[in-house]
Amino acid sequence: MAKLSYKSYDEHELIRLMLRDDYAAYLEIYERYSRPLYAHACKKLNNRDEVKDLLQEVFAALWQNRSSLSPKSPLAGYLYATLRYRVIKLIAHKKVESVYFESLATVNTHDNTTADYRVREKELGQLIENEIVRLPEKMQEVFRMSRQSHLSHKEIAQELGLSETTVKKHVNNALKVLRPKFGTLLSLAYFLLP
């Protein structure tokens, strides 16, 4: 019943309400923009499930980052820009994944193919490394100790003077950032790359 009253608000009023953690205002924004964003994303991607996932990410980001909005922000522009960024990121991820899996499929004993495989492997390693260096410093350090030095959470905690819970949280948060970008390639890369 209360939700009906939000239909008369303009987007600036809805942003003001959302800045005060008004979830009903957020739901009204979702109601107004989800269909047009869905239609827009479907023009760029042929997979409706991927589009639904992207929309979920866009609106989750809106709620999580609401404090960075200004009541004068052009909401439609913000939402379309966020969607565009996520579509580009998804396409780039698919391209990297495709290139990598193609390289795995074509690997044979010929020297030139093996050299190509190593180049692609190195490129993938560099892409992953570029994302790792964007992590906060402590998270980056803990993640490297866990994945590259193969230390247990307990060993890392002892070496850095942290609790095991904190170490686990750093590793999980790093994976939450990296997995959407590299998916299963992240796990494969750490077994294949030095």
Side-chain angles (χ1 to χ4, degrees), residues 26-163:
Y26 166 76
L27 291 176
E28 177 60 31
I29 291 169
Y30 177 84
E31 287 297 317
R32 288 184 190 183
Y33 290 99
S34 61
R35 283 195 176 113
L37 287 170
Y38 179 83
H40 182 74
C42 282
K43 292 176 187 174
K44 307 292 181 200
L45 302 170
N46 291 327
N47 186 321
R48 293 183 187 275
D49 289 332
E50 287 177 343
V51 170
K52 288 176 186 175
D53 289 344
L54 286 181
L55 282 183
Q56 183 178 0
E57 290 175 21
V58 167
F59 283 101
L62 174 66
W63 182 253
Q64 289 172 341
N65 300 320
R66 65 190 177 279
S67 62
S68 67
L69 293 174
S70 160
K72 295 179 182 179
S73 298
L75 188 58
Y78 174 86
L79 291 170
Y80 278 95
T82 304
L83 178 65
R84 183 174 52 250
Y85 168 76
R86 293 192 183 263
V87 166
I88 290 168
K89 198 166 104 173
L90 177 66
I91 291 170
H93 168 73
K94 288 166 101 177
K95 188 179 263 186
V96 168
E97 194 173 62
S98 172
V99 166
Y100 185 73
F101 283 122
E102 280 177 24
S103 73
L104 284 178
T106 59
V107 171
N108 62 30
T109 55
H110 299 303
D111 289 342
N112 61 346
T113 304
T114 303
D116 183 51
Y117 173 76
R118 287 189 183 133
V119 167
R120 290 174 192 236
E121 200 174 276
K122 190 173 182 178
E123 287 173 348
L124 175 64
Q126 189 57 53
L127 286 170
I128 293 172
E129 180 61 25
N130 290 346
E131 290 303 323
I132 291 173
V133 297
R134 292 183 181 164
L135 297 172
E137 190 175 322
K138 186 57 75 174
M139 185 186 298
Q140 193 180 135
E141 182 180 18
V142 169
F143 185 76
R144 288 181 192 284
M145 291 173 81
S146 171
R147 292 304 194 262
Q148 292 173 339
S149 301
H150 306 290
L151 297 177
S152 70
H153 290 176
K154 186 175 184 175
E155 291 169 325
I156 296 168
Q158 288 172 347
E159 191 167 320
L160 297 179
L162 301 171
S163 72

